[in-house]
Amino acid sequence: LDNSLLPIVAIVGMYSLKRPKRFVEKIVKINSGRGLSAREKRASVILNDFKRDSERILKETRKLARDQLDTSILKSKRSKRMVADLREGIKENKSIAKIKKDMVSKYNNLSNVERTLDTELHSQGEFVRLKHSQALGYTHKVWNTQRDSKVRNTKFHTNVENKRVPIDSDFRQAGLKASQPGDVRLPPSDRIRCRCYLTFE
């Protein structure tokens, strides 16, 4: 294992990735540095050391993530304004809870707001993980589902499970292609609230 990945392995060991929204909320809180528990303070030290040691990679990855979110805003029809509001909230360093509260107040539709947040945060998380793993020299990626009864039964999802491809290639099935879970090129049936994740080799 590349030593530069050890801080990430430590954080993932402390906080589960199985609930992406909760994981993001935890990382946002840790980054804020306010009201941290002893465990969160330990995680904060790990993250700060990692950010210092990986500054160039993180800067490039943030730019790519912003570009990806811009593309999502352009492609999304139903949630276009919500995605734009999400981006604005992130830019203003609001917590996920605050962004959600503001969006629910604005749109008066909790389920649509939650669906948009779940989809976009997970997509962004997987995109950033992919770009960072590329920068660290990994050569292949594997598409993983949660392997439970909630996994959607679409031709794309069914056929990409456990598929291994070069890290800079797309997963291709059923006439669709995606670089990572939540890719904006996927149709809503394969993108909205996707819980899949990549592993790297």
Side-chain angles (χ1 to χ4, degrees), residues 80-146:
K80 185 186 280 189
R81 288 174 300 172
M82 289 186 187
V83 174
D85 287 345
L86 169 60
R87 180 178 181 181
E88 191 60 33
I90 291 170
K91 193 186 295 183
E92 294 172 7
N93 288 321
K94 292 182 181 177
S95 68
I96 298 302
K98 174 65 173 158
I99 293 172
K100 178 179 175 181
K101 182 179 178 182
D102 291 348
M103 289 173 67
V104 170
S105 175
K106 180 174 180 179
Y107 297 104
N108 197 27
N109 191 322
L110 178 61
S111 63
N112 279 354
V113 168
E114 287 186 333
R115 181 181 62 204
T116 298
L117 288 175
D118 286 348
T119 301
E120 297 306 328
L121 292 174
H122 184 60
S123 174
Q124 288 294 295
E126 286 301 307
F127 181 76
V128 168
R129 288 180 62 244
L130 169 61
K131 292 303 177 185
H132 192 244
S133 295
Q134 279 180 302
L136 290 173
Y138 284 87
T139 59
H140 288 79
K141 57 189 175 184
V142 180
W143 188 295
N144 301 273
T145 70
Q146 294 290 341

Side-chain angles (χ1 to χ4, degrees), residues 6 34 36 58 90 112 127 146 159:
L6 292 177
R34 294 187 300 268
L36 302 183
L58 290 171
I90 291 170
N112 279 354
F127 181 76
Q146 294 290 341
N159 291 307

Side-chain angles (χ1 to χ4, degrees), residues 18-81:
K18 288 191 174 180
R19 299 180 73 178
K21 188 173 133 193
R22 181 174 288 181
F23 180 78
V24 170
E25 287 173 342
K26 183 63 71 176
I27 297 302
V28 167
K29 181 185 178 191
I30 290 167
N31 278 327
S32 78
R34 294 187 300 268
L36 302 183
S37 67
R39 186 180 198 195
E40 289 165 345
K41 286 177 183 174
R42 288 196 303 274
S44 179
V45 170
I46 293 169
L47 280 176
N48 287 334
D49 288 347
F50 175 73
K51 284 188 279 190
R52 186 192 62 241
D53 295 341
S54 308
E55 186 175 354
R56 181 188 60 79
I57 293 172
L58 290 171
K59 185 176 180 182
E60 292 172 2
T61 302
R62 279 194 294 270
K63 182 187 181 307
L64 290 167
R66 284 195 298 270
D67 292 344
Q68 166 106 348
L69 194 51
D70 284 340
T71 303
S72 184
I73 290 169
L74 291 173
K75 291 207 167 219
S76 173
K77 294 175 184 174
R78 189 177 210 178
S79 303
K80 185 186 280 189
R81 288 174 300 172

Side-chain angles (χ1 to χ4, degrees), residues 178-191:
S179 179
Q180 90 281 333
D183 193 310
V184 295
R185 294 174 292 175
L186 290 171
S189 59
D190 282 300
R191 183 172 191 268

